[in-house]
Amino acid sequence: MRDALWRMSAGAQAKAVRDGEVSALELVDAHLERIAEVNPMVNAVTRTLADRAREAAERTDRRRAAGEVLGPLAGVPFTVKESTPVEGVPTTFGVERFRDLVAPADAIPVARLRAAGAVPIGHTNIPTLILAGMHTRSELFGDTVNPWDPARTPGGSSGGDGVAVATGMAALGLGNDSGGSVRIPAQFCGVAALKPTTGRFPADRRVLGPDDPGPASQFLVTDGPLARSVADLRLAYEVLAGPDPRDPQAVPVPLYGEPLPGPVKVAVVADPGGHGVHPTVRAAVEAAAAALRDAGYDVREVPDVPRLDEALDAYGRITVTEFAPAWPVVRGLLGEGGDRYIAMAMERTPPATADELVKLMGTWLGIRRSWAEFLDEHPLLLGPVFTEPPVGPGLESRDRAGRDRVATAMRLCTATSFVGVPAVAVPTGVTDGLPCGVQIVGRAFREDLCLAAARAVEERLGGLAPVDPRRPAGAPAPTGTGPGRGRCGPDARP
């Protein structure tokens, strides 16, 4: 019975708890057993919150026995990225220096998931300080392993959550994204993820001190859930959205907008900027486009997205300028080797002067306007998350060529974070033993359109997770136990 529990969707788990078919304690224990079984192979969960999770589950069971109405995520275990505070637990950022930095309170999204009945079951690994690269490797906890192929990165910076959700250690993961950090692990691990519109989910970024970060960190970073199904993403979305006085940028926009007239138009761009795309990734975009056509969407290939290269340049210059004053201290925290990824960016992109920064802020607004106009004509955009299959661990930190290759592959994620629009990453199938996926980008505050389109893709191409990790020494790739095994395209090989 417990083996079956961790395989269930978050929605099914919560319903079973509400209906009394299973206790919240049984559900938590099933996931703790799964963590004990799987985590030694993948190193995704850095700290198991076993006692706290069991206590929370027992409170849920007592509430149900007393006849209280339980929340939409009653008893559902979720993991939390090492950079996001959980009350009473260290928020280490994967750094030895912060090993004992105990959080005095839950981060806003953690508190909201708890209020909906979900149970934090563990912290998950990240790149050191979130800055050491795309690959999930931290000074404090080491490397996280992709369950599909140990020779490939699970992505990052929310790679620990991606692996935990993919392998059934948690039904939901709480990550964040400033340029692909939930979407890339979703593609590389075969799960789904939501990057919301800037201002949709409230957050308080004052984690390491009393001061707020600069405008780039305020605007670019958004919390986002990872799940094994789009339906579970929708559940998390409904819980996490809405204003909070601690975040003046979070706005009270309705969760669901007005229906659009006629078939919804979807623009397709398989190779953003014309910088190249791997055949398997192009096939994934084509498969998703065919699925959307079958679902009744008006799918059209367009020449390109707006001002991509200009957006990438402005993103780099603004973030480096904001980051430069703290670089000497941060470099020391990252340590030898851990500093390589950011150091290469600092060497290539000098900080802007005051006059240049003012001009860049105007450029930023102009690029957002261009995207708003593009999405006014095409409410949805279908494109790649990463224009290559999963790459080797740490490629981006080895040398400049590796860094440029990874930065180029994640370019659509970077641009959409810069613009602040929502996106859902969804799997499309498996090729050569590795998961494939796409992202569906939408108008600001129309996450509902992205989720509906992603659900249409999922219904036609199937889910991939949960999976058992591939074992070393030439064992076969993990076998998906989700509702279906899609293919990335007509030439895909399962």
Side-chain angles (χ1 to χ4, degrees):
M1 176 61 177
R2 284 187 177 178
D3 180 66
L5 294 178
W6 60 261
R7 297 177 185 273
M8 296 166 63
S9 69
Q13 289 176 11
K15 184 177 186 302
V17 170
R18 288 195 302 270
D19 292 347
E21 295 174 4
V22 65
S23 71
L25 182 59
E26 287 175 313
L27 186 59
V28 164
D29 280 341
H31 284 82
L32 290 171
E33 289 171 7
R34 179 64 175 172
I35 291 171
E37 175 191 1
V38 170
N39 199 55
M41 291 182 276
V42 293
N43 192 37
V45 176
T46 55
R47 180 187 298 268
T48 302
L49 309 177
D51 292 341
R52 291 166 175 265
R54 288 191 177 105
E55 289 169 4
E58 288 172 343
R59 286 194 296 271
T60 296
D61 292 334
R62 287 195 296 270
R63 290 181 58 212
R64 187 192 175 280
E68 295 184 35
V69 177
L70 302 182
L73 294 173
V76 174
F78 71 100
T79 54
V80 183
K81 192 172 181 176
E82 268 289 341
S83 56
T84 301
V86 176
E87 183 271 327
V89 179
T91 310
T92 70
F93 285 83
V95 180
E96 178 64 38
R97 185 84 60 89
F98 299 149
R99 178 188 286 274
D100 300 317
L101 186 69
V102 176
D106 284 338
I108 296 172
V110 174
R112 290 200 166 183
L113 289 169
R114 275 197 209 263
V119 178
I121 201 166
H123 257 317
T124 49
N125 203 16
I126 60 174
T128 306
L129 277 179
I130 326 178
L131 299 172
M134 177 195 70
H135 174 57
T136 297
R137 173 192 294 144
S138 67
E139 174 194 39
L140 200 52
F141 303 111
D143 290 76
T144 294
V145 176
N146 189 318
W148 294 84
D149 184 350
R152 310 294 182 115
T153 178
S157 59
S158 306
D161 287 291
V163 173
V165 170
T167 56
M169 291 190 280
L172 296 171
L174 178 62
N176 50 43
D177 190 311
S178 60
S181 295
V182 299
R183 290 168 284 172
I184 294 170
Q187 177 180 324
F188 289 4
C189 296
V191 298
L194 166 65
K195 186 210 86 70
T197 309
T198 300
R200 172 63 85 179
F201 295 172
D204 187 341
R205 303 293 173 200
R206 296 172 298 173
V207 178
L208 296 178
D211 297 329
D212 285 297
S217 299
Q218 293 173 25
F219 185 88
L220 296 174
V221 182
T222 59
D223 294 302
L226 298 95
R228 292 191 292 271
S229 72
V230 176
D232 285 349
L233 285 185
R234 187 183 295 275
L235 281 174
Y237 162 66
E238 292 174 350
V239 166
L240 293 168
D244 186 286
R246 289 166 290 181
D247 185 357
Q249 294 189 111
V251 293
V253 180
L255 289 172
Y256 296 94
E258 292 295 323
L260 299 182
V264 177
K265 294 180 181 178
V266 182
V268 180
V269 179
D271 183 8
H275 298 301
V277 59
H278 192 278
T280 61
V281 176
R282 183 181 292 278
V285 174
E286 292 171 350
L292 290 173
R293 286 192 189 95
D294 183 69
Y297 287 82
D298 181 1
V299 181
R300 309 177 181 188
E301 290 190 20
V302 299
D304 207 349
V305 299
R307 303 172 69 176
L308 178 75
D309 291 338
E310 193 176 357
L312 299 178
D313 178 71
Y315 180 108
R317 295 212 66 200
I318 290 169
T319 53
V320 163
T321 302
E322 181 170 303
F323 193 65
W327 175 233
V329 173
V330 171
R331 189 168 200 169
L333 290 172
L334 287 169
E336 187 177 354
D339 65 342
R340 233 182 258 126
Y341 182 69
I342 298 296
M344 285 187 279
M346 302 289 289
E347 290 164 5
R348 172 169 289 183
T349 307
T353 66
D355 289 345
E356 290 170 337
L357 186 58
V358 169
K359 186 176 181 180
L360 281 166
M361 290 296 168
T363 300
W364 194 352
L365 179 61
I367 293 170
R368 291 172 65 189
R369 180 183 298 112
S370 296
W371 273 78
E373 292 168 348
F374 174 83
L375 291 167
D376 185 59
E377 182 177 356
H378 308 280
L380 293 173
L381 165 68
L382 169 64
V385 173
F386 196 87
T387 55
E388 297 189 38
V391 297
L395 172 66
E396 70 281 3
S397 301
R398 293 177 199 168
D399 52 34
R400 188 168 297 283
R403 191 190 193 286
D404 290 349
R405 180 178 159 190
V406 168
T408 298
M410 61 192 286
R411 59 191 179 273
L412 186 57
C413 286
T414 304
T416 48
S417 283
F418 190 63
V419 176
V421 292
V424 173
V426 61
T428 58
V430 178
T431 294
D432 298 329
L434 295 172
C436 307
V438 297
Q439 63 177 316
I440 299 171
V441 180
R443 294 173 178 171
F445 298 105
R446 291 311 303 264
E447 288 87 352
D448 57 331
L449 297 179
C450 300
L451 288 163
R455 176 63 175 159
V457 171
E458 180 183 70
E459 286 175 341
R460 286 157 179 80
L461 300 182
L464 303 180
V467 297
D468 291 321
R470 177 177 178 175
R471 298 177 183 274
T479 300
T481 55
R485 291 293 302 275
R487 289 173 176 254
C488 295
D491 297 324
R493 295 183 296 277

